Amino acid sequence: MPELTVVSETWPMAGTFTISRGSRTHVEVVLVELRDGPSVGRGECVPYPRYGESVDGVMEQLRGAAAGIEGGWTRSELAREVPPGAARNALDCALWDLEAGRRGTTVHELAGRPAPGPLTTAYTLSLGAPEAMGAAATAESRRPLLKLKLAGDGGDVDRVRAVREGAPESRLIVDANEGCTADGLPSLMDHLAGLGVALIEQPLPADEDGALAVLEHPVPLCADESCHTAADLRRLRDRYEAVNIKLDKTGGLTAALELEDRAREAGLRVMVGCMVGTSLAMAPAVLAAQGAEWVDLDGPLLLARDREPGLRYEGSTVEPAAPELWGFGGRP
């Protein structure tokens, strides 16, 4: 039976990263390791305060699950015993990794999915004044897909306009982080449509997004904070055109793959995103993101340094994980 080890880590960011909820210079992650003889499974999660999570709280959840994990819980048993969120994500991904090691195979084969290939990821611009965001966009204008944060303070159209001028050839995603109002959203969407924005993430607070059902959508809308698992889809279909799947919300790769399949059955498009973390957190998401319409797995690009070995990024292209990182049997 596997032995569980849980540690917290702090990783510095490449600079100050700002969204509407605040700024940070580092990211705190929780690392899970399952060791069973020569086989090792790993998973990483990022506790997110917006969902009532903290590093201490997630580590307590993981310690509470230790007896079950070390007693041989399957991923299905884990899903019954631990709620969706960061703690389950780290355990679920570690169990996938461990099983691949035990069987001498790969996670994509265990999941019945094709071998993953390279993906084009968005690159996120930190929230700032329009001039600063325009300069950042100019510096990153070679990237095919840019994502920018909105503030909900009346200056967002100027921010998007500055980014569009700085990166005229890039596709743009904007992330409102629940910062808009139902009254102001129609005008904002019209402006963003005129600036060629391809997608708007979570414009309204999750508990107020029923208003989206009666608003015109000149730009497709994507549920982020409103969508955690497949159970959320029924109430979202008349409000959004897409869902943002993050493993820290779903509770791991198992639930992420289910959410992806159910979303497509419901006629929704798929974005696969991330919290800011190391390549170990991104590696399972790369598998989930195969075939997604939008990919936002730039977490390691925002860090001052990454886990070694990490994912290989060439510009905005991210390659699947190497055997030494995650998801392949036989890793020492």
Side-chain angles (χ1 to χ4, degrees):
M1 295 299 177
E3 178 183 354
L4 172 66
T5 301
V6 180
V7 298
S8 62
E9 299 175 336
T10 299
W11 293 81
M13 301 197 69
T16 300
F17 186 75
T18 302
I19 66 172
S20 59
R21 296 190 181 102
S23 301
R24 53 178 156 166
T25 58
H26 62 277
V27 60
E28 294 181 289
V29 310
V30 176
L31 174 67
V32 161
E33 182 178 280
L34 299 177
R35 186 174 294 274
D36 186 12
S39 299
V40 179
R42 299 192 300 164
E44 177 186 312
C45 68
V46 182
Y48 197 42
R50 166 63 180 81
Y51 305 132
E53 295 176 333
S54 66
V55 170
D56 288 345
V58 165
M59 292 187 71
E60 185 62 29
Q61 274 188 287
L62 292 169
R63 285 189 288 264
I69 291 292
E70 293 178 346
W73 274 355
T74 64
R75 291 189 300 277
S76 295
E77 290 169 324
L78 171 66
R80 288 196 297 269
E81 299 295 334
V82 179
R88 194 214 285 177
N89 176 30
L91 288 172
D92 181 79
C93 291
L95 284 172
W96 277 106
D97 197 25
L98 180 65
E99 185 177 351
R102 284 169 167 167
R103 297 193 182 192
T105 186
T106 64
V107 169
H108 76 262
E109 290 171 322
L110 291 175
R113 302 273 170 151
L119 300 168
T120 298
T121 180
Y123 181 82
T124 306
L125 304 178
S126 180
L127 178 62
E131 300 78 16
M133 295 185 73
T138 299
E140 303 295 341
S141 60
R142 70 189 185 283
R143 296 185 183 274
L145 181 61
L146 293 176
K147 176 175 170 176
L148 60 149
K149 300 288 187 175
L150 302 186
D153 61 357
D156 287 331
V157 172
D158 290 338
R159 290 183 176 95
V160 178
R161 184 178 294 112
V163 169
R164 170 52 73 212
E165 291 173 355
E169 302 301 322
S170 300
R171 297 173 68 215
L172 299 183
I173 299 171
V174 302
D175 186 358
N177 284 121
E178 304 179 280
C180 301
T181 65
D183 289 342
L185 184 58
S187 176
L188 176 64
M189 284 195 287
D190 286 341
H191 282 100
L192 298 188
L195 291 166
V197 169
L199 188 71
I200 302 172
E201 286 186 67
Q202 197 67 43
L204 300 182
D207 59 358
E208 299 177 14
D209 66 358
L212 299 176
V214 296
L215 294 179
E216 294 290 332
H217 297 187
V219 180
L221 302 182
C222 179
D224 184 356
E225 286 85 350
S226 289
C227 183
H228 291 243
T229 70
D232 296 316
L233 291 174
R234 177 173 294 182
R235 63 180 177 80
L236 299 178
R237 284 181 295 183
D238 65 344
R239 306 176 187 184
Y240 298 93
E241 285 72 43
V243 294
N244 187 347
I245 300 173
K246 295 177 180 175
L247 274 64
D248 276 314
K249 293 189 301 177
T250 65
L253 179 63
T254 303
L257 294 176
E258 179 191 10
L259 174 55
E260 181 178 11
D261 291 342
R262 300 292 85 77
R264 294 196 185 283
E265 290 173 3
L268 292 164
R269 301 165 78 184
V270 169
M271 177 180 185
V272 174
C274 65
M275 309 304 183
V276 180
T278 78
S279 283
L280 180 58
M282 305 301 122
V286 168
L287 177 57
Q290 301 294 312
E293 284 84 353
W294 299 277
V295 177
D296 180 22
L297 298 178
D298 63 344
L301 298 178
L302 306 177
L303 298 177
R305 57 184 176 85
D306 191 14
R307 201 177 297 279
E308 291 289 345
L311 293 174
R312 185 163 67 90
Y313 287 84
E314 294 288 341
S316 291
T317 299
V318 55
E319 299 286 341
E324 296 81 9
L325 178 61
W326 183 87
F328 291 77
R331 185 180 65 245

